[in-house]
Amino acid sequence: MEEDRSLREFIAKHSRLFVLTGAGCSTDSGIPDYRDADGEWKRAQPVQFRSFMDDSLIRRRYWARSLVGWRRFGLAKPNDAHRALAALERQGRIGLLVTQNVDRLHQAAGSTAVVDLHGRLDTVRCMGCERRLPREELQQELLSRNPDWVDLDARVAPDGDADLHGLDFSGFAVPDCEHCGGVLKPDVVFYGESVPRERVTRAMQAVADADAMLVVGSSLMVYSGYRFAREAAAAGKPIATVNLGRTRADELVSLKVTRPCGTALGFLLEDSRAA
Ligand SMILES: [Zn+2]
């Protein structure tokens, strides 16, 4: 296929890649995408940072949905797209992989030079004392405090949040930090919250050090990812995108591949097996 050959050539031609990945990279792992092919929201927008911090009912609803969503989210396994990018890193071709995903599937596939731009869902952060604890530990606590919610099932969103329409969340019990009584929040960047500066700085440095940028499974609709494409374009670095729908950076891109990520990058796995 023409697109395959072009992508292969693009990757062969640029020895040090800056890679940015998004939700499309994880859809084959059973983690659905927020946006459809036109970049529009598929479902109600997720929780805003301010309302999560200010409103205990919003927090109860969030954790109730998360209790349900986490079980499936926590079972997700890497797919060919993750494995292909891990193989490319082993060949020394990736300077840094920056992901907008919070699922840690790149690391599970073996990638090591990864920045989790939007944080990680397997960790919970106390907003009072900055203590971190494993999400699984909080899951057990939530289950023991809310036995009536254990058997619920629902559609799962990319952040492990689930749709539970028409339920009363006021009785759902959410623990506070046992050390300081602070609000516990998933260690992910919510809408309305900034990406920590050191992550952006490290990613921008990697853009500067790279020969080219490869975008995998992101529409770049969110500014936190789009800014890297803009930076790369401003520095005259070629950009290739692998995404099923249109992207915000289409006019900046030198190669656009409209295929599922795992299929488009599959040749990297064949190459690594042959090597
Ligand atoms: Zn605390």
Side-chain angles (χ1 to χ4, degrees):
M1 235 174 162
E2 186 56 38
E3 282 189 339
D4 279 353
R5 195 157 58 238
S6 305
L7 184 61
R8 184 188 283 267
E9 283 167 7
F10 181 91
I11 289 175
K13 196 158 71 181
H14 303 291
S15 60
R16 194 169 179 82
L17 294 166
F18 172 80
V19 179
L20 179 73
T21 74
C25 207
S26 291
T27 44
D28 283 350
S29 296
I31 299 173
D33 195 348
Y34 267 136
R35 291 172 185 276
D36 62 21
D38 294 320
E40 299 298 325
W41 291 104
K42 283 179 185 167
R43 60 192 288 281
Q45 286 210 20
V47 175
Q48 298 284 319
F49 174 66
R50 218 43 277 167
S51 41
F52 183 90
M53 293 306 296
D54 293 348
D55 187 338
S56 77
L57 187 59
I58 300 259
R59 287 200 295 280
R60 290 175 205 280
R61 193 181 64 187
Y62 176 89
W63 285 117
R65 296 157 122 190
S66 175
L67 171 85
V68 176
W70 172 251
R71 282 181 292 171
R72 262 190 279 171
F73 190 88
L75 293 173
K77 296 279 184 291
N79 64 56
D80 278 353
H82 302 108
R83 283 189 282 273
L85 291 169
L88 198 58
E89 186 193 279
R90 280 195 298 276
Q91 294 166 26
R93 306 293 307 287
I94 296 180
L96 187 67
L97 186 155
V98 173
T99 185
Q100 298 170 297
N101 300 336
V102 295
D103 53 35
R104 301 282 289 177
L105 291 179
H106 288 298
Q107 291 89 342
S111 287
T112 57
V114 180
V115 166
D116 298 307
L117 192 63
H118 295 162
R120 49 191 294 181
L121 201 63
D122 65 354
T123 303
V124 174
R125 168 187 175 196
C126 170
M127 298 305 283
C129 69
E130 293 294 325
R131 188 173 68 99
R132 301 311 205 261
L133 63 144
R135 174 67 181 77
E136 189 55 41
E137 197 179 308
L138 182 66
Q139 182 77 359
Q140 296 311 318
E141 187 64 28
L142 290 170
L143 288 170
S144 73
R145 291 185 187 219
N146 303 281
D148 295 349
W149 292 75
V150 171
D151 293 328
L152 281 172
D153 208 353
R155 281 189 301 145
V156 181
D159 59 359
D161 200 3
D163 263 327
L164 301 175
H165 284 299
L167 294 173
D168 177 14
F169 298 99
S170 59
F172 190 83
V174 178
D176 293 323
C177 173
E178 60 184 39
H179 293 257
C180 77
V183 169
L184 296 180
K185 176 182 168 293
D187 196 9
V188 300
V189 176
F190 274 24
Y191 285 80
E193 189 178 10
S194 313
V195 173
R197 183 181 299 272
E198 66 275 13
R199 292 180 202 161
V200 178
T201 306
R202 189 174 167 207
M204 283 299 185
Q205 186 57 53
V207 172
D209 294 342
D211 306 316
M213 175 172 180
L214 173 64
V215 180
V216 181
S218 174
S219 61
L220 299 173
M221 291 299 165
V222 180
Y223 177 73
S224 70
Y226 175 69
R227 63 181 141 196
F228 302 117
R230 215 174 53 171
E231 179 78 6
K237 303 190 182 198
I239 303 171
T241 58
V242 178
N243 196 54
L244 279 179
R246 72 181 195 86
T247 82
R248 186 179 175 184
D250 280 357
E251 73 285 0
L252 306 176
V253 158
S254 45
L255 172 65
K256 185 174 157 61
V257 177
T258 312
R259 304 187 66 196
C261 303
T263 312
L265 297 174
F267 69 89
L268 293 168
L269 288 173
E270 289 157 27
D271 291 357
S272 75
R273 279 187 208 109

